[in-house]
Amino acid sequence: MNALVLKLLVQRISLGLVLIFFVSIMIFLGTQILPGDVAQAILGQSATPESLANLREELGLNIPAYQRYMSWLGGVLQGDLGTSLTNGRDIGQSIADRMGNTLFLAAWAAIISVPLAITLGLISVLYRGRWPDKLISAVTLSAISVPEFMMSYILMYYVAVQLGWAPSVAMLNDRMSMLDKLHAISLPIAVLVMVVLAHMMRMTRAALLNVMQSAYIETAELKGIRRSSVIWRHAFPNSIAPIVNVVMLNMAYLVVGVVVVEVVFVYPGMGQYLVDHVAKRDVPVVQACGLIFAAVYIFLNMFADIVSILANPRLRHPK
Amino acid sequence: MDKPLLQIDNLTIEATAYPPGEAPRRITIVDGVSLTLEKGKVLGLIGESGAGKSTIGLSAMAYGRGGIELSGGKIHLNNREIRKARGRVLRSLRGAEVTYVAQSAAAAFNPAKRLMEQVTEAAVTHGRATKAEAEKRAVDLFRKLGLPEPENFGNRYPHQVSGGQLQRAMTAMALCPQPDLVIFDEPTTALDVTTQLGVLAAIKAAIRDQGVAALYITHDLAVVAQIADNIMVLRHGKTVEYGTAEQIITAPKEEYTQALVSVVAKDHEEKNTDLPPILEVKGLRANYRGMTRDVLSNINVAIQPGTTLAVVGESGSGKSTLARVITGLLPLSAGQMVFDGRQLTPDQKSRSRDDLRELQMIYQMADVAMNPRQTVGTIIGRPLQFYFGMKGKELRNRVVELLGEIELGEKFIDRYPAELSGGQKQRVCIARALAAKPKLIICDEVTSALDPLVAEGILKLLADLQEREQVSYMFITHDIATVRAIADTIAVMHLGKLVRYGKKSEVLAPPFDDYTDMLLKSVPELRMGWMEEVMGTAAE
Amino acid sequence: MRRVPIPALIGLFITGLFILSAIAAPIIAPYGLSEIVGDVWEPASSEFWLGTDNIGRDLLSRLIWGGRTTILVAIAATVVSFVTGSVLGLFAAVVGGWIDQLLSRFVDLIMAIPTLIFALVVLSVMPVTIPVLILVMGLLDSTRVFRLSRAVASDIAVMDFVEAAQLRGEGRAWIIFREILPNALSPLVAEAGMRFIFMVLFVSTLSFLGLGVQPPNADWGGIVKENKDGIVYGIPAALLPAIAIAALSISVNLVADWVLDRTSSLKGGRNG
């Protein structure tokens, strides 16, 4: 690894850390932008003066915002995410299990959708303008036109209720075998895969087409090489960076999709936890979950950029 | 029964165009072209853009770019009809019997792979050599083509070598499988003139050495004269004239070929005046922000009223930067500019409206120099409105008058730029500059993107306008022939410095400094054997 | 004359139908929004064309009224997003310098947080009313419009014809409105279509999560939420809004594709 690449990597990683820091400020500010009193908003109009005063005390509303932010950030850095307003439990503990569940769901969705999207994108490019391409693009256009929860209910209605192939509610427990667990979450995975797949495949197709239109692909074709070798030897090495980028960009749909899908299938993950507590106006929980979701997203993007730096021959072999 | 290496009979090539919102329609790109090429000979295909020369060249590999279809006629290569060949037959021919050298080698090499792998790929894939043999051959070719460190050259990546070197490497890639035929598609067009000569000589030596036949495609008659045995002149997809190089160059029969041949020979009579200069640039320096090296250092030039200063140089010479500094788009770091007796402020934003009006600019790419959403009338009319407050009938009359001056009729007034040809677009840009009644027009490579005959027309128009309006030009170009055709004074620039400056008759007469000498010598002349002469003297 | 391709025509027709039904909801809806007119989850009949919902309201009427809310909120949020995003984007591209840097970095920051997550964070403390929803959605989404319009405008701003206008001495207003804007308009219009679709999906999702349009008002997402329990009993009432959303967004997509296609062909030739 040369100095230039190292420098770019260090730059990119520090940018990611700086970004997370500023995002934590944004998320903190996001819960402070209300012109009036947060305590009032949380408890509603009918709150008694005593309960308001108690809540203000608990939220630390009597001290300036920046001090509250500093102590929140300090806590987060030491792994202390604070306590929930609604049930007084430690947020870190409540999140730990749920985070595992969410990662389990998201990871399986990613494992299935990424290779599938790349394969379908490749097929689309190979058969560009012919029926496989048109079919794929029509199906994916429909898929991105339907919100995640709609897709969930459509699947739930036909696959779970009408056909009875999979459970309509995704319950997990520790006694289940891996296969049982996968069966339990098969519908949420299917929904996530469909949503992510549609976006990812469309962008993979565009990225690949871009590479396939380069002059060096024509050069390779004019060498009389088989089309599969043209793609494998010449198109593929130049497509790694754009495809990784596409994959990571689409992880955003996964992050958002997970929230919705967990609610639909009553899956005990972070998304459901977040939505529940938004409705209950449990600000500390919302802040903690928001920060975690955003941080995961930023790390994924950072990872994509790192791969494209490493895949760039101009950077790996400078003049 | 034995046919020549390549025989094309009555070839027709068509494409389908998809105009938005209309039914698709067929366009004929090549119409009934026939040619033959014997083993070891070089055939030059010459023509303007849109003549179909590249398309014919690629048809010898039975290849059509983006939806192009080889729809009729016969193509025989090595006694085999290949027009309808598909799949394996086609693959066995491409990269083995026929290879290809593209105009832009920089784009034609895969950025992710080392040069050696790409140069030897075709030979190895087709079993024409083992990997070791092919690599040995490649090193040999690198040496013959004058590439630095031939032993290690192949270990580099495309972005690590210069444009001229890449073009040579691409020639090596084409020759490595030891094909029977190589197609050269404008291989030197994108190169600077001094680089072009070396590459051209290397290509010629290498193909002679291997005894391979070649189709050499170019728009430059002087280039093809150095390398071809036979020449075919094409226009609008049809053959205009086909004969030996000797005959085409010395005794062209067709009117079009005669025009092409004579375009190169024009020379313009030098004008002189004693009037004070319209623009004087003294001790000019400039650099881009954040860079310490000067892009321009100590430039001193002057332009007399009603005359033309040609600023000539290769890419990176700073000639366009000079224009940007004079127009005030790039701040100077030292020196001064006196325009019509007044000091010009360095920043365009702080100049008076009269200064802006009297100093106009015409660009190289006319299509991006005009707003595609404005009509010709608006484009030419805006300066009239802006500087002279004209409106209504007066404005329209003046626009029509200007259209007359650029030899376009009133009917053009409501057209959009996309509806004009390249030459017409450049004329509209000239009219826009004229509308401001300028004293000096800076012309930045205004003819470089145009075909030679169209360019000639533009140069003639500019000369006529100068005669009538007494406007001065600062003419920026890389092309010596253009300089001869239009300049009164010449400034030769190299790497941001002024290497030679004076009246045309002095600058273009010996004794020369080294750079000017090389520059002038590198410009291909339209006679056979010129390259050998130059390379001969250079070797001494 | 230029022919409108059939998919775009279909798109235009269906989009038009949706907008008409949103405008004419009070006239064409057979029943009122909250009128309880039948039994719980009655099947489709001549009286209730699409059946009834979880507390016996007419589903067709709810869909028409709900569509009115969904479309209204989506249009308003699109307008907010577009006006904010494109004005700031064009401004940043033309002005450049530290103002551009500041705006661009701020937008990067907002975009580093997934939109739904940030919306949830903000909505956890804000009163969830329709104006607040429109503002939150519109402002969060304006970051995307900002990026696009800034990119389009900076591509145009470096073209020679803009430089020519600058050299002529034209003012900033002429350059933005006469040179850049006419050339930036079509991609922005096509993007408006995409943003509108996104807003429809966004508001539906929020309502479905219970954080969007609040009862007694209804929108398509809310109707799904109310009827979702029926799914397990094999009652497909919750799927009907899905069909409406999909139909609307596919048809808008078709129109946007056509607009975008026209834009890119303009570069090639106007008379073509």
Side-chain angles (χ1 to χ4, degrees), chain A residues 140-163:
Chain A
T140 52
L141 178 65
S142 320
I144 59 173
S145 303
V146 186
E148 296 90 350
F149 64 92
M150 296 283 184
M151 192 117 60
S152 311
Y153 284 121
I154 293 171
L155 280 189
M156 198 192 274
Y157 182 72
Y158 288 105
V159 181
V161 177
Q162 302 279 341
L163 298 169

Side-chain angles (χ1 to χ4, degrees), chain B residues 19-23 25 324 327-329 348-349 353 356-357 359-361 363-365 367-374 378-379 382-383 385-387 416 418-419 432, chain C residues 1-5 159-172 174 178-180 182-187 261-263 265-272:
Chain B
E22 280 174 44
R25 64 164 185 263
R324 291 182 71 76
T327 52
L329 289 169
Q348 169 262 337
K349 288 198 184 75
R353 196 168 270 213
L356 293 171
R357 179 179 66 74
L359 179 62
Q360 288 291 312
M361 172 120 181
Y363 295 84
Q364 173 175 4
M365 306 302 273
D367 17 0
V368 289
M370 291 185 283
N371 190 331
R373 304 276 166 166
Q374 292 175 356
T378 314
I379 291 168
R382 179 60 190 170
Q385 222 177 19
F386 185 77
Y387 294 124
Y416 284 88
E419 298 169 276
R432 174 174 64 184
Chain C
M1 247 337 274
R2 194 181 288 279
R3 225 160 28 98
V4 181
M159 303 267 267
D160 284 346
F161 67 82
V162 177
E163 190 181 293
Q166 217 179 325
L167 283 180
R168 198 185 303 136
E170 300 282 5
R172 194 163 273 166
W174 172 280
R178 303 302 291 272
E179 305 285 350
I180 295 181
N183 288 292
L185 216 50
S186 317
D261 207 41
R262 268 190 42 179
T263 323
S265 65
L266 251 175
K267 282 179 198 153
R270 201 183 169 89
N271 52 344

